[in-house]
Amino acid sequence: MDFNTSIPTAKRLERLQYENPWWLTGQVQQAYTEMSKRLYFKLFYPFVKETEIKRAVVLMGPRRVGKTVMMFHAIQELLAENIAPKKIFFIGIDNPIYMQLGLEEILLLAKDAVALNNLEDCFVFFDEIQYLKDWERHLKVLVDFYPKTKFIVSGSAAAALRLQSSESGAGRFTDFMLPPLTFHEYIHLKDLGHLMQAKSIKYDDKEIPFLLLTTIKHLIKSFSIT
């Protein structure tokens, strides 16, 4: 059986509408809006908004570090800045419903789902890009063919290694590596800043800031499961 032809287009359009609720509501799913942003978001988001340089943003990192959540936070920020909801697409490439489709075919389905005449000034998020064979070649074609569209993709650490060994994306991709949660971010997310005291150390004529723990009692308690 040809899995590609066995899935009706209507079902794929239905899935796209489910993945992009802001097309109707203007809002990202509540589950994501209630999550705190990682401190790396402030570094990542400017790459999302950069449209003068014609490059796709490739968000890389190990599994379960929060790449998908960061993408939804970026969408939330775009909506807050009055980017038209129907000009923001989110597509999870790991869903079997898109099997055997190229990135451009999926992109054009999303375009049809919101009845856009063109893709100018659109922000397109492809999640779990490593599930598409030769994804870097597909993405390169999109960057070249749709210069007025911004593409942001997420990929695993394995996809990062593949990208580094390939020349196909040279000059067309901006890599952003998201590491696992740092201790500093843990303090931030748990709102434990009051337990830390800002200090600095002088090294090579530069003041290097760091945080010093003032008490360990409450920090240990924050790790407890109640």
Side-chain angles (χ1 to χ4, degrees), residues 94-111:
D94 57 333
N95 194 306
I97 203 167
Y98 302 123
M99 188 178 292
Q100 302 301 323
L101 293 181
L103 286 187
E104 187 171 21
E105 291 176 285
I106 302 171
L107 177 62
L108 294 178
L109 275 177
K111 172 178 169 287

Side-chain angles (χ1 to χ4, degrees), residues 156-215:
S156 66
L161 292 174
R162 178 178 174 84
L163 181 61
Q164 291 172 4
S165 66
S166 171
E167 293 296 324
S168 62
R172 294 176 177 85
F173 303 159
T174 297
D175 304 342
F176 189 98
M177 184 61 70
L178 184 64
L181 192 71
T182 65
F183 180 71
H184 182 66
E185 286 183 295
Y186 177 80
I187 293 296
H188 168 73
L189 293 174
K190 285 290 189 178
D191 195 25
L192 298 173
H194 60 285
L195 302 181
M196 311 301 289
Q197 183 178 5
K199 293 282 188 177
S200 67
I201 186 172
K202 194 169 185 178
Y203 179 78
D204 195 21
D205 295 327
K206 294 181 181 179
E207 290 290 331
I208 310 295
F210 69 96
L211 295 176
L212 181 67
L213 185 66
T214 57
T215 175

Side-chain angles (χ1 to χ4, degrees), residues 62-222:
R63 295 186 63 82
R64 313 302 298 173
V65 298
K67 299 185 296 295
T68 300
V69 174
M70 185 170 284
M71 295 177 88
F72 276 111
H73 282 159
I75 293 171
Q76 179 185 3
E77 199 71 20
L78 290 171
L79 292 169
E81 295 179 10
N82 295 318
I83 300 298
K86 290 185 177 181
K87 284 185 173 288
I88 304 173
F89 305 160
F90 176 89
I91 301 156
I93 300 300
D94 57 333
N95 194 306
I97 203 167
Y98 302 123
M99 188 178 292
Q100 302 301 323
L101 293 181
L103 286 187
E104 187 171 21
E105 291 176 285
I106 302 171
L107 177 62
L108 294 178
L109 275 177
K111 172 178 169 287
D112 291 343
V114 290
L116 288 179
N117 293 323
N118 57 65
L119 291 165
E120 291 185 8
D121 303 319
C122 288
F123 292 83
V124 182
F125 294 79
F126 289 115
D127 195 26
E128 302 286 5
I129 195 73
Q130 75 274 1
Y131 282 90
L132 177 68
K133 183 180 180 181
D134 295 327
W135 64 266
E136 68 278 17
R137 298 181 188 277
H138 288 253
L139 186 58
K140 169 189 172 295
V141 170
L142 292 186
V143 172
D144 289 343
F145 197 73
Y146 298 96
K148 294 185 179 181
T149 303
K150 188 59 183 277
F151 296 97
I152 305 97
V153 307
S154 75
S156 66
L161 292 174
R162 178 178 174 84
L163 181 61
Q164 291 172 4
S165 66
S166 171
E167 293 296 324
S168 62
R172 294 176 177 85
F173 303 159
T174 297
D175 304 342
F176 189 98
M177 184 61 70
L178 184 64
L181 192 71
T182 65
F183 180 71
H184 182 66
E185 286 183 295
Y186 177 80
I187 293 296
H188 168 73
L189 293 174
K190 285 290 189 178
D191 195 25
L192 298 173
H194 60 285
L195 302 181
M196 311 301 289
Q197 183 178 5
K199 293 282 188 177
S200 67
I201 186 172
K202 194 169 185 178
Y203 179 78
D204 195 21
D205 295 327
K206 294 181 181 179
E207 290 290 331
I208 310 295
F210 69 96
L211 295 176
L212 181 67
L213 185 66
T214 57
T215 175
I216 198 170
K217 177 181 177 182
H218 294 92
L219 181 62
I220 293 174
K221 186 177 180 181
S222 75

